[in-house]
Coordinates of all heavy atoms in Angstrom, one line a residue:
R1 N -12.0 3.5 2.7 CA -12.4 2.6 3.7 C -11.4 1.4 3.8 O -11.1 0.9 4.9 CB -13.8 2.1 3.4 CG -14.9 3.2 3.5 CD -16.3 2.6 3.2 NE -16.7 1.6 4.2 CZ -17.2 2.0 5.4 NH1 -17.3 3.3 5.7 NH2 -17.5 1.0 6.2
R2 N -11.0 0.9 2.7 CA -10.0 -0.2 2.6 C -8.9 0.5 1.7 O -8.8 0.3 0.5 CB -10.5 -1.4 2.0 CG -11.4 -2.2 3.0 CD -12.1 -3.4 2.3 NE -11.1 -4.3 1.7 CZ -10.5 -5.3 2.4 NH1 -10.9 -5.5 3.7 NH2 -9.6 -6.1 1.9
H3 N -8.0 1.2 2.4 CA -7.0 2.1 1.6 C -5.8 1.3 1.2 O -5.3 1.4 0.1 CB -6.6 3.2 2.5 CG -5.9 4.3 1.9 ND1 -6.5 5.5 1.6 CD2 -4.6 4.4 1.4 CE1 -5.7 6.3 0.9 NE2 -4.5 5.7 0.8
A4 N -5.2 0.5 2.1 CA -3.9 -0.2 1.8 C -3.9 -1.4 2.8 O -4.8 -1.6 3.7 CB -2.7 0.7 2.1
R5 N -2.9 -2.2 2.6 CA -2.7 -3.3 3.5 C -1.2 -3.6 3.8 O -0.4 -3.3 2.9 CB -3.4 -4.6 3.1 CG -2.7 -5.3 1.8 CD -3.3 -6.6 1.6 NE -2.8 -7.2 0.4 CZ -3.0 -8.5 0.0 NH1 -3.8 -9.2 0.7 NH2 -2.5 -9.0 -1.1
I6 N -0.9 -4.0 5.0 CA 0.5 -4.3 5.3 C 0.5 -5.8 5.7 O -0.2 -6.2 6.7 CB 1.0 -3.5 6.5 CG1 1.0 -2.0 6.1 CG2 2.4 -3.9 6.9 CD1 1.4 -1.0 7.2
V7 N 1.2 -6.6 5.0 CA 1.3 -8.1 5.3 C 2.5 -8.3 6.1 O 3.7 -8.1 5.6 CB 1.2 -8.9 4.0 CG1 1.4 -10.4 4.3 CG2 -0.1 -8.6 3.2
V8 N 2.4 -8.8 7.3 CA 3.6 -9.0 8.2 C 3.9 -10.5 8.2 O 3.0 -11.3 8.5 CB 3.3 -8.5 9.6 CG1 4.4 -8.9 10.6 CG2 3.1 -7.0 9.6
S9 N 5.1 -10.9 8.0 CA 5.5 -12.3 8.1 C 6.8 -12.4 8.9 O 7.3 -11.3 9.3 CB 5.8 -12.9 6.7 OG 6.9 -12.3 6.1
G10 N 7.3 -13.6 9.1 CA 8.5 -13.7 9.9 C 9.7 -13.1 9.2 O 10.7 -12.8 9.9
S11 N 9.6 -12.9 7.9 CA 10.8 -12.3 7.2 C 10.6 -10.8 6.8 O 11.5 -10.3 6.2 CB 10.9 -13.1 5.8 OG 9.7 -13.2 5.1
G12 N 9.6 -10.2 7.2 CA 9.4 -8.8 7.0 C 8.0 -8.3 6.9 O 7.0 -9.0 7.2
A13 N 7.8 -7.1 6.4 CA 6.5 -6.5 6.1 C 6.4 -5.9 4.7 O 7.3 -5.2 4.3 CB 6.2 -5.4 7.2
L14 N 5.3 -6.1 4.0 CA 5.1 -5.6 2.7 C 3.8 -4.7 2.7 O 2.8 -5.0 3.3 CB 4.8 -6.8 1.7 CG 6.0 -7.7 1.4 CD1 5.5 -8.8 0.5 CD2 7.1 -6.9 0.7
L15 N 4.0 -3.5 2.1 CA 2.9 -2.5 2.0 C 2.4 -2.5 0.5 O 3.1 -2.6 -0.4 CB 3.5 -1.1 2.3 CG 2.5 0.1 2.0 CD1 1.3 0.0 2.9 CD2 3.3 1.4 2.1
E16 N 1.0 -2.6 0.4 CA 0.4 -2.6 -0.9 C -0.9 -1.7 -0.8 O -1.7 -1.7 0.1 CB -0.1 -4.0 -1.2 CG -0.8 -4.2 -2.5 CD -1.2 -5.6 -2.8 OE1 -1.1 -6.4 -1.9 OE2 -1.7 -5.9 -4.0
D17 N -1.0 -0.9 -1.9 CA -2.2 0.0 -2.1 C -3.3 -0.9 -2.5 O -3.2 -1.8 -3.3 CB -1.9 1.1 -3.0 CG -3.1 2.0 -3.2 OD1 -3.3 2.8 -2.2 OD2 -3.8 2.0 -4.2
L18 N -4.5 -0.6 -2.1 CA -5.7 -1.4 -2.5 C -6.7 -0.5 -3.4 O -7.9 -0.6 -3.3 CB -6.5 -1.8 -1.2 CG -5.8 -2.8 -0.3 CD1 -6.7 -3.1 0.9 CD2 -5.3 -4.0 -1.0
G19 N -6.1 0.2 -4.3 CA -6.8 1.0 -5.2 C -7.5 2.2 -4.6 O -8.6 2.6 -5.0
S20 N -6.8 2.8 -3.6 CA -7.4 3.9 -2.9 C -7.5 5.1 -3.8 O -6.7 5.3 -4.8 CB -6.4 4.3 -1.7 OG -5.1 4.7 -2.2
K21 N -8.5 6.0 -3.5 CA -8.7 7.2 -4.3 C -7.6 8.2 -4.2 O -7.2 8.8 -5.3 CB -10.0 7.9 -3.8 CG -10.4 9.1 -4.6 CD -11.7 9.7 -4.1 CE -12.0 11.0 -4.8 NZ -13.3 11.6 -4.3
N22 N -7.0 8.4 -3.0 CA -6.0 9.4 -2.8 C -4.6 8.9 -2.8 O -3.6 9.6 -2.6 CB -6.3 10.3 -1.6 CG -7.6 11.0 -1.8 OD1 -7.8 11.7 -2.8 ND2 -8.4 11.0 -0.7
G23 N -4.5 7.6 -3.0 CA -3.1 7.0 -3.1 C -2.4 6.7 -1.8 O -2.7 7.2 -0.7
T24 N -1.5 5.7 -1.9 CA -0.6 5.4 -0.8 C 0.8 5.7 -1.2 O 1.2 5.4 -2.3 CB -0.7 3.8 -0.5 OG1 -2.1 3.5 -0.1 CG2 0.2 3.4 0.7
F25 N 1.5 6.4 -0.3 CA 2.9 6.9 -0.7 C 4.0 6.3 0.2 O 3.7 6.1 1.4 CB 2.9 8.4 -0.6 CG 1.9 9.1 -1.5 CD1 0.6 9.2 -1.1 CD2 2.4 9.6 -2.7 CE1 -0.3 9.9 -2.0 CE2 1.5 10.2 -3.5 CZ 0.2 10.4 -3.2
F26 N 5.1 5.9 -0.4 CA 6.2 5.4 0.3 C 7.4 6.2 -0.1 O 7.8 6.3 -1.3 CB 6.4 3.9 -0.2 CG 7.7 3.3 0.3 CD1 7.7 2.7 1.6 CD2 8.8 3.2 -0.4 CE1 8.9 2.1 2.1 CE2 10.0 2.6 0.0 CZ 10.0 2.1 1.3
G27 N 8.0 6.8 0.9 CA 9.1 7.7 0.7 C 8.8 8.9 -0.3 O 9.7 9.3 -1.1
G28 N 7.6 9.3 -0.3 CA 7.2 10.4 -1.2 C 6.7 10.0 -2.5 O 6.2 10.8 -3.3
Q29 N 6.8 8.7 -2.9 CA 6.4 8.2 -4.2 C 5.1 7.5 -4.1 O 4.9 6.6 -3.2 CB 7.5 7.3 -4.8 CG 8.8 8.0 -5.0 CD 8.7 9.2 -6.0 OE1 8.1 9.1 -7.1 NE2 9.3 10.3 -5.7
R30 N 4.2 7.8 -5.0 CA 2.9 7.0 -4.9 C 3.1 5.6 -5.4 O 3.8 5.3 -6.4 CB 1.9 7.7 -5.9 CG 0.5 7.1 -5.8 CD -0.5 7.9 -6.4 NE -1.9 7.4 -6.3 CZ -3.0 8.1 -6.4 NH1 -3.0 9.3 -6.7 NH2 -4.2 7.4 -6.3
L31 N 2.5 4.6 -4.7 CA 2.7 3.3 -5.0 C 1.9 2.9 -6.2 O 0.7 3.3 -6.4 CB 2.2 2.3 -3.8 CG 3.1 2.4 -2.6 CD1 2.6 1.3 -1.6 CD2 4.5 2.2 -2.8
A32 N 2.4 1.9 -7.0 CA 1.7 1.3 -8.1 C 1.1 0.0 -7.6 O 0.8 -0.1 -6.4 CB 2.6 1.1 -9.3
A33 N 1.0 -1.0 -8.4 CA 0.3 -2.2 -8.0 C 1.3 -3.1 -7.2 O 0.9 -4.1 -6.5 CB -0.3 -3.0 -9.2
T34 N 2.6 -2.9 -7.3 CA 3.6 -3.8 -6.8 C 3.8 -3.5 -5.2 O 4.1 -2.3 -4.9 CB 5.0 -3.6 -7.5 OG1 4.8 -3.8 -8.9 CG2 6.0 -4.6 -7.0
P35 N 3.7 -4.5 -4.4 CA 4.0 -4.3 -3.0 C 5.4 -3.9 -2.7 O 6.3 -4.3 -3.5 CB 3.6 -5.7 -2.3 CG 2.7 -6.4 -3.4 CD 3.2 -5.9 -4.7
V36 N 5.7 -3.1 -1.7 CA 7.0 -2.7 -1.4 C 7.4 -3.2 0.0 O 6.5 -3.1 0.9 CB 7.2 -1.2 -1.5 CG1 7.0 -0.7 -2.9 CG2 6.3 -0.4 -0.6

């Protein structure tokens, strides 16, 4: 229901997983707690 979030600012966009059950993946790698 609340899987991940993308924070958009004037300097870019950051992707963060919100503890999702099936995971959020970036470039084929499952995200840990650190936004990318």
